[in-house]
Amino acid sequence: MSQKSSHNKKKVASLSAILVAILVVVLGFIIVSGHNKSGESAKGKKVVTVGIIGSNDVPIWKQVNKELASKHIYADVKVFSDGEALNQATNSGQIDINSFQHYAFLHQEVSQKNYKLTAIGNTYIQPLNIYSKKIKNVKDLKEGDKIAIPNNPTNAGRALKVLEKAGLIKTNPAKGYSPTVSDITSNPKKLQIIEVDPAAIIKLLPNFAAGITNSNFVQANHLNPAKDSIFAIAPNINDSYNKPWINILVTKTSEENNKTYKEVVNAYHSKAVYDLIEKEYKGVSLPAFKY
């Protein structure tokens, strides 16, 4: 190897080392600036990271930020596609507050995974009603008819309680608000209750006598949860029956008294947000708080 070739290789190695060092510094800056532990943005506002599922609630959080402006607080919304991952991120401190689940789901997550998470405020309630393409009233169900319900544990349990409220079945009272199909103690019409992906239930209604699914999936199929159901439970937030199904703002238990987070809750519980939910969500979501 010539001396010149060796010198060129050393020069290339030195340049590579410099480039790597610059890259590390740049990446480090991006990472640090993207996660400011002090909670202060460049505009001098306290930043609270809020995790949601999908984009349906984005208009709500835009209004929340308008309410927070005078407090110099900003809710930085992060969109997740999975609720379990969002709870994990909240429990680990990557997300300050999440807004996607009801009390029943939170209770399930805490009991199963030993999370230290606490509800700090109500948001809205989404009705879980019965729909059909074949009948107009639950009294028209015949012996042996098939009923589709969600295939996830909390909403399956809630759907069974809806069927119970409709007078179609009875479940074991010891199972509370989360019974399973095996907990049905009375089924006079011998209804076949089948667990199905909740997002598919409305499209599959021609194959069932009736189905129960979440309001957002109903709306996605161009139906109105308030007008197009054959049985509905009044979403009265003062009714103890509805308490498990009220959606909530959730944070780490150690942060439940955080003054900044309380300001976020207060902003959510404003008349402007209340009116927006009633106007824009048209029965899919109904406010579960007083202002």
Side-chain angles (χ1 to χ4, degrees):
M1 182 183 294
S2 69
Q3 187 175 358
K4 185 176 180 181
S5 175
S6 176
H7 176 73
N8 286 339
K9 285 190 174 182
K10 286 180 181 179
K11 190 174 181 180
V12 169
S14 297
L15 286 171
S16 297
I18 291 169
L19 288 172
V20 169
I22 292 171
L23 184 60
V24 168
V25 170
V26 170
L27 287 175
F29 174 77
I30 292 170
I31 292 167
V32 171
S33 63
H35 183 68
N36 186 347
K37 290 187 178 181
S38 68
E40 295 288 332
S41 74
K43 295 181 180 179
K45 292 182 180 179
K46 292 181 180 178
V47 176
V48 178
T49 56
V50 177
I52 64 174
I53 300 296
S55 59
N56 285 346
D57 282 6
V58 168
I60 294 175
W61 286 98
K62 285 183 178 179
Q63 185 61 49
V64 170
N65 272 326
K66 290 180 182 178
E67 302 300 308
L68 286 171
S70 64
K71 302 290 184 180
H72 304 290
I73 299 168
Y74 179 76
D76 184 16
V77 175
K78 308 290 185 184
V79 177
F80 283 65
S81 59
D82 176 70
E84 292 185 10
L86 180 46
N87 267 340
Q88 185 178 16
T90 308
N91 189 67
S92 67
Q94 294 173 318
I95 293 293
D96 296 322
I97 296 173
N98 72 48
S99 179
F100 77 94
Q101 64 196 316
H102 45 50
Y103 283 99
F105 187 77
L106 175 65
H107 175 76
Q108 173 188 295
E109 287 276 276
V110 168
S111 62
Q112 290 181 354
K113 300 173 183 176
N114 200 32
Y115 285 156
K116 305 299 181 185
L117 297 174
T118 299
I120 57 174
N122 294 347
T123 58
Y124 51 71
I125 185 168
Q126 292 186 320
L128 196 75
N129 299 336
I130 305 178
Y131 304 87
S132 178
K133 294 288 188 183
K134 298 180 178 180
I135 59 175
K136 299 295 184 182
N137 193 298
V138 291
K139 293 179 181 178
D140 298 329
L141 285 167
K142 301 187 297 295
E143 184 170 324
D145 271 347
K146 295 180 180 180
I147 308 290
I149 67 171
N151 62 358
N152 54 73
T154 53
N155 283 314
R158 184 182 180 188
L160 292 174
K161 298 301 285 186
V162 171
L163 291 174
E164 187 171 51
K165 198 82 167 176
L168 297 169
I169 64 171
K170 291 182 180 179
T171 62
N172 184 348
K175 298 300 180 178
Y177 54 77
S178 296
T180 64
V181 172
S182 63
D183 296 317
I184 295 173
T185 57
S186 175
N187 184 0
K189 291 190 175 182
K190 299 180 175 60
L191 299 172
Q192 299 181 58
I193 300 170
I194 301 169
E195 296 185 13
V196 178
D197 178 356
I201 287 176
I202 295 298
K203 284 187 170 63
L204 292 174
L205 280 180
N207 301 323
F208 292 87
I212 303 174
T213 193
N214 306 81
S215 293
N216 55 313
F217 297 132
V218 175
Q219 188 184 46
N221 284 275
H222 311 293
L223 296 177
N224 185 304
K227 297 178 181 178
D228 295 320
S229 60
I230 63 169
F231 179 82
I233 297 172
N236 179 0
I237 62 172
N238 295 317
D239 184 346
S240 59
Y241 173 86
N242 288 320
K243 176 65 185 292
W245 320 116
I246 292 175
N247 281 40
I248 46 183
L249 299 170
V250 173
T251 190
K252 291 176 67 174
T253 303
S254 61
E255 296 291 338
E256 64 178 315
N257 294 315
N258 185 301
K259 291 181 180 179
T260 302
Y261 298 178
K262 286 185 176 183
E263 291 290 357
V264 174
V265 175
N266 290 339
Y268 200 112
H269 291 177
S270 64
K271 183 180 187 301
V273 172
Y274 188 101
D275 290 346
L276 183 145
I277 293 172
E278 283 213 318
K279 180 182 178 182
E280 298 296 329
Y281 292 83
K282 297 178 173 50
V284 175
S285 302
L286 298 164
F289 58 88
K290 296 178 180 179
Y291 57 86

